[in-house]
Amino acid sequence: MTDKRIIGILTGGGDCPGLNSVIYGIMLKAFDSDTECIGIIKGWKGFMENLTMPLNIAEHDDLHTVGGTLLYTSRTNPFSSVAVAETEEKKKELEEKIAKEMAGKFDDLGIDALIAIGGDDTLGVADTICKYTDAKIIGCPKTIDNDLLGTDYTFGFWSAVQLASNSMDNLTTTARSHQRIFVVEVMGRDAGFLTIYSGISSGADIILIPETPFNLRKHVIEVLKRRVRAGHKYHIIACSEGAYPSDESLKRDFETISQETIDKLPKDTFGNPLLSKLNMSQILVSELRLNEELEKEFQQNNTNYECRSVVLGHTMRAGTPNSFDRILGLRLGLAAMKLALENKFGMMVSLRGNDIKSLPLAEGAKKKYVEKDSDIVELRNLMIKIRYKSREI
Ligand code: F6P
């Protein structure tokens, strides 16, 4: 190893706009501090398999403006075998063994320290390694879902909200022309931040998120009935990919799915159920199409009864970061590199208000959800209700 300090950088989990901005922020400070950066390819997979690429800042002018990640990404979980260990004791032993093996990789990779950029899964791996070893790791929070406890907002979130909001704004013209109900599925497996922010931003008529399980009868059918009676001719339903009905409603109101359907869903490499495979927007469309009573109500109010689903999916993660996410990414990258220079490891950088702060990975690398009693949920409820109530005679 040369005398120059060498920092490895990896990006894990789903990509999002702003990842390259963080990488560039790290590189800017590193270059100015006589530190070399090495890219580790495909997240923890590359870390385990020694897959690296040189990062020469001279070759990457304005990298912060480019979407996606230069370093590629994967959802590889080095600790995946821990979940199937038989006892808690065995789980702990295995976890410690893997953590030590992972810490040993620093020498193989020729790095002094690592900056891991990722969501709760990627940062959870970093935290577990730090729990058992003195590995020099710093975390940087990333996810378009914004569901990470250790930061007020993640970069990429506002770019994705804007994309979803624009799509829903645009869909209103075709919805209006055909007098249709559009169910728009928005990314967000476990948390509804993307759906509720983009739904409110574009004025969606019904907004369904995982944190508040919906009652098909009350929150969808009844609202549509009252809306059509109040004179509305088209309807946009923003539905989080992780939105699901309450147990009571699932049993009582659904004809096309049951609890068994949800239990049988495949899991990702971190063991999370792949709710996106459920295709909730399509299920809702199927349920609505079967609802003769609602169809009659639409006909009596001289309105077409037609439903379509649109899955925004990966279009929400695509493209360039907006200015907010570029700046946030750069600031987080700069702060992560500064922590490395100050030898403050086992920490993650974070946005708190307008300031960039840091906190232990063990505290911040956890999931966050939309709070049921937050102003954003109150706004959603008010907007949906007042649209039909204010027009009722
Ligand atoms: O990274 C978060 C996320 O975009 C979720 O909103 C979504 O459920 C998931 O990733 C999709 O993952 P993939 O790109 O692996 O299909």
Side-chain angles (χ1 to χ4, degrees), residues 44 47-48 77-82 90-106 114 124-137:
W44 292 115
F47 189 86
M48 293 193 291
N77 178 4
F79 292 97
S80 57
S81 54
V82 172
K90 282 191 180 153
K91 275 187 186 166
K92 214 170 158 259
E93 269 171 28
L94 188 57
E95 205 174 64
E96 187 167 352
K97 182 172 165 278
I98 297 170
K100 287 183 175 158
E101 282 165 10
M102 295 289 282
K105 295 278 175 198
F106 279 68
L114 173 73
V125 169
D127 179 40
T128 310
I129 301 171
C130 291
K131 188 165 127 192
Y132 294 103
T133 72
D134 57 3
K136 296 176 174 172
I137 309 180

Side-chain angles (χ1 to χ4, degrees), residues 169 218 240 256 366:
D169 282 355
K218 181 174 169 207
S240 182
T256 62
K366 292 179 184 151

Side-chain angles (χ1 to χ4, degrees), residues 14 75 144-145 187-189 241 314 317:
R75 293 194 187 274
I144 56 159
D145 294 356
M187 266 198 174
R189 196 170 37 198
E241 63 180 353
H314 294 89
R317 292 208 315 236

Side-chain angles (χ1 to χ4, degrees), residues 305-357:
Y305 188 65
E306 285 186 28
C307 316
R308 294 287 190 274
S309 70
V310 175
V311 179
L312 297 183
H314 294 89
T315 60
M316 291 178 55
R317 292 208 315 236
T320 54
N322 66 15
S323 301
F324 179 86
D325 288 332
R326 291 179 195 190
I327 303 291
L328 178 58
L330 284 167
R331 291 178 77 197
L332 290 169
L334 170 67
M337 189 62 217
K338 279 180 164 175
L339 282 182
L341 293 170
E342 290 161 13
N343 290 317
K344 290 185 180 158
F345 298 107
M347 305 290 285
M348 63 180 275
V349 287
S350 141
L351 177 71
R352 289 295 184 214
N354 283 326
D355 298 324
I356 304 295
K357 304 271 187 192

Side-chain angles (χ1 to χ4, degrees), residues 12-16 75 119 142-147 186-191 194 241-242 268 273-277 313-314 316-317 367:
D15 75 325
C16 80
R75 293 194 187 274
K142 174 260 12 161
T143 162
I144 56 159
D145 294 356
N146 196 43
D147 58 349
V186 178
M187 266 198 174
R189 196 170 37 198
D190 307 308
L194 283 170
E241 63 180 353
D268 71 10
L274 288 168
L275 284 169
S276 50
K277 297 256 185 265
H314 294 89
M316 291 178 55
R317 292 208 315 236
K367 281 246 179 231

Side-chain angles (χ1 to χ4, degrees), residues 17-42:
L19 276 166
N20 280 329
S21 317
V22 179
I23 297 168
Y24 198 52
I26 297 170
M27 286 163 74
L28 288 171
K29 185 67 186 170
F31 184 79
D32 202 44
S33 321
D34 204 25
T35 301
E36 191 181 327
C37 292
I38 288 184
I40 295 165
I41 296 170
K42 296 188 186 171

